[in-house]
Amino acid sequence: MKFTVVGAGAMGLRYGVLLQAAGNDVDFVDAWEPHVTAMRANGGVYVTRDHEDRHLVPVNVYYPEEYHKQDRDVLIFFLKQMQLSDMLKRCAHFFNDQQYVLTCMNGMGHVDKLLQYFKPQHVIAGTALVATILDGPGEVDFVGKVGAGTMNLANYTEKPDDMTQRVVAELTKGHFNPTLTTNFMGTLMAKVVFNSVVNTLCTLFEITMGEFADYKGADDLARQLVDEAYDVAERMNVTMLNTRQEEMDSINYVSKVANPLHYPSMYQDMTHNRPTEVDYINGYIVKMGQACHYEAKTHAFLTHLVHLAEHTRQQNVTQSPAVDTVEQQELA
């Protein structure tokens, strides 16, 4: 199949490189100049796995304005939520009404933006439980052994078609361990709830997922956030993919077993003085609650705390030398 990955950050590279290794024709579109320049100069991207076996993988990478191929079967979007609107405008010239879209971006809000450009029956969205880090321009690290991690995905219409099955087959060849569901909102909300606990709390206290899980009160903290999010979902008539206990088990497994040494993506953004996606994670749960006259007070409090931390860091940056601007992204 022919894929174009829009957003060649950590996760975009992981998906594109592994789909390319599985025999697919893959292009990359990105707007971060140092990153594009490095890959073009090197003839590809340097890939490591758990910081070992550094090797060059040839890739075709383009800026949005110079990319004009319209024969692509599937466009894969991996961007920060706040980047998507602008990138869609910059890429619209190579969209057509036959293309399918796949996205596993963090948070919520991206699907509505994609539906402005693509047919509902061509939109596939999901969640990826796997960690990846962009170590610098042209350098990406895949966390975990080959086949590590899983993903869930669903059609926006909740009606899988032949193209969807082809996409799932290629993802399986790429060792992404996909599970196709017919529960669109429940599938996406599972990742939002997961991130609302691990991403946010690890960021606020600048700790790894394992350090969070080692705290004796971690389950109590997680349970309060999970229960509040599920209360909102039930009032909005969203059938969650997991039960409350299964969500707790997922949080514990990923934090203690799968990625205990990992710093989540929100932490990576915070420490590089970039805006976080908290408004699209905890803040999204708050907005859902408001729509059904329910106050998600704990999620609202954490949203404010993250913004306070952002504000404090920005105040310090204005009084300090320029900070490192290396982009790092992870969807775990």
Side-chain angles (χ1 to χ4, degrees):
M1 295 181 68
K2 295 180 179 179
F3 292 89
T4 295
V5 178
V6 180
M11 289 298 291
L13 282 169
R14 186 168 190 143
Y15 270 70
V17 165
L18 293 182
L19 284 170
Q20 182 173 284
N24 295 284
D25 178 355
V26 181
D27 290 333
F28 296 85
V29 174
D30 200 81
W32 186 31
E33 186 174 351
H35 191 38
V36 175
T37 299
M39 286 189 283
R40 286 180 168 177
N42 296 331
V45 59
Y46 281 102
V47 177
T48 55
R49 190 174 287 274
D50 294 327
H51 299 296
E52 297 180 353
D53 187 30
R54 182 174 181 265
H55 61 283
L56 184 68
V57 176
V59 297
N60 299 318
V61 60
Y62 305 83
Y63 291 109
E65 289 75 15
E66 67 184 15
Y67 190 70
H68 296 282
K69 295 183 183 180
Q70 293 191 334
D71 63 341
R72 317 311 282 176
D73 299 308
V74 182
L75 306 181
I76 301 177
F77 285 85
F78 268 117
L79 298 150
K80 296 295 183 181
Q81 289 282 351
M82 58 285 281
Q83 299 170 337
L84 182 58
S85 290
D86 180 64
M87 185 62 87
L88 284 167
K89 293 177 183 176
R90 296 176 65 177
C91 294
H93 60 274
F94 61 80
F95 299 164
N96 65 61
D97 61 5
Q98 300 301 310
Q99 293 163 336
Y100 276 63
V101 175
L102 171 66
T103 182
C104 292
M105 288 169 52
N106 267 350
M108 290 288 279
H110 52 307
V111 174
D112 289 339
K113 296 180 180 70
L114 290 169
L115 287 170
Q116 296 174 24
Y117 293 84
F118 302 97
K119 294 179 179 179
Q121 60 268 35
H122 288 180
V123 174
I124 307 169
T127 61
L129 287 172
V130 63
T132 309
I133 301 172
L134 198 66
D135 288 323
E139 299 270 354
V140 66
D141 183 54
F142 297 170
V143 178
K145 297 179 181 179
V146 175
T150 61
M151 66 176 295
N152 297 310
L153 65 162
N155 296 84
Y156 180 76
T157 59
E158 300 184 339
K159 297 178 181 179
D161 57 10
D162 290 342
M163 177 61 84
T164 303
Q165 298 296 345
R166 289 180 61 195
V167 171
V168 171
E170 295 307 322
L171 290 169
T172 300
K173 292 178 187 176
H175 304 290
F176 292 102
N177 303 314
T179 297
L180 180 63
T181 83
T182 53
N183 178 354
F184 187 77
M185 279 298 295
T187 297
L188 269 61
M189 281 299 297
K191 183 66 174 295
V192 173
V193 175
F194 177 94
N195 280 336
S196 75
V197 178
V198 178
N199 254 14
T200 307
L201 293 176
C202 288
T203 297
L204 285 170
F205 292 94
E206 300 185 352
I207 55 177
T208 65
M209 295 162 71
E211 288 172 322
F212 163 70
D214 282 343
Y215 171 55
K216 65 180 181 180
D219 277 356
D220 290 336
L221 289 170
R223 175 64 73 176
Q224 182 170 340
L225 290 164
V226 168
D227 281 344
E228 198 171 86
Y230 272 61
D231 288 347
V232 170
E234 288 171 2
R235 286 164 172 77
M236 293 294 288
N237 296 316
V238 174
T239 301
M240 297 296 288
L241 192 63
N242 301 323
T243 66
R244 297 182 188 218
Q245 187 55 51
E246 286 170 342
E247 192 66 25
M248 288 291 298
D249 292 343
S250 176
I251 290 168
N252 274 306
Y253 176 79
V254 176
S255 299
K256 294 179 179 180
V257 180
N259 295 308
L261 302 179
H262 199 72
Y263 290 96
S265 59
M266 194 184 297
Y267 167 90
Q268 296 175 25
D269 286 332
M270 180 76 78
T271 56
H272 287 83
N273 297 295
R274 298 190 298 265
T276 70
E277 295 180 289
V278 69
D279 288 333
Y280 304 93
I281 301 174
N282 300 82
Y284 182 81
I285 294 169
V286 173
K287 290 180 180 178
M288 282 185 67
Q290 291 170 345
C292 60
H293 309 291
Y294 177 90
E295 290 188 72
K297 293 183 178 180
T298 313
H299 286 280
F301 184 67
L302 288 182
T303 302
H304 279 298
L305 286 183
V306 172
H307 284 314
L308 176 59
E310 289 175 315
H311 173 76
T312 303
R313 292 184 69 90
Q314 287 300 321
Q315 292 293 102
N316 292 336
V317 166
T318 61
Q319 304 169 24
S320 305
V323 297
D324 180 11
T325 58
V326 169
E327 291 193 9
Q328 295 185 4
Q329 180 183 359
E330 169 276 331
L331 293 176

